[in-house]
Amino acid sequence: MLRLPSERIIPLVPSLVAPLRRGLNTMDPISVAAMLDILRFLLTRHEGACDALLKCDGFRRMLPATNLMLNNKTRVRVGYDNKRIGGDQQMLKDFIREVLLLMCKQGGDKGRALIRSYMPSFFE
């Protein structure tokens, strides 16, 4: 579904927030990595996805779970967009930081302010 054109995906972003949040709240490193990988794919491939997440309050609803996992050193496999079986191994804390930096970059001042409010230590 995420490989469809942006004009078909962007209206569906608000309905994707609940399943992404549920996956993040499992606190299972593999599930969290999979949800963050899908979120990264969505943000990098679909222009306007970040604005849609900000409008539907998706950032605010997904950040608390990532904050709790920010120091997790478990190695997870990522690579949804690579189409490789197994993907690449990466530490979960590094992958979370990578996705949060992407959210900051694409979210602009509003996204940065939201991330700072939920994760004050992220930018130190």
Side-chain angles (χ1 to χ4, degrees), residues 63-75:
L63 287 173
T66 55
N67 190 22
L68 294 173
M69 300 290 284
L70 196 56
N71 293 319
N72 193 317
K73 296 179 182 177
T74 305
R75 295 190 70 75

Side-chain angles (χ1 to χ4, degrees), residues 10-61:
I10 301 304
L12 301 175
V13 168
S15 63
L16 293 174
V17 171
L20 285 172
R21 182 179 178 200
R22 243 187 330 271
L24 290 171
N25 284 336
T26 63
M27 297 300 168
D28 175 41
I30 296 169
S31 298
V32 170
M35 295 301 112
L36 288 173
D37 209 10
I38 291 170
L39 182 62
R40 180 180 64 173
F41 183 82
L42 183 68
L43 292 173
T44 55
R45 302 297 164 110
H46 298 288
E47 191 174 314
C50 190
D51 294 332
L53 278 171
L54 285 169
K55 285 180 187 172
C56 73
D57 217 16
F59 265 30
R60 185 189 63 76
R61 291 190 272 164

Side-chain angles (χ1 to χ4, degrees), residues 73-113:
K73 296 179 182 177
T74 305
R75 295 190 70 75
V76 293
R77 295 193 182 275
V78 296
Y80 175 79
D81 54 342
N82 295 340
K83 293 186 179 178
R84 289 180 38 198
I85 295 174
D88 302 319
Q89 276 201 353
Q90 193 173 0
M91 286 187 122
L92 184 59
K93 69 177 190 168
D94 296 336
F95 188 53
I96 290 173
R97 288 184 195 282
E98 179 184 323
V99 174
L100 288 173
L101 286 172
L102 179 65
M103 290 168 75
C104 281
K105 180 180 168 188
Q106 291 193 358
D109 292 335
K110 187 175 181 181
R112 190 172 292 112

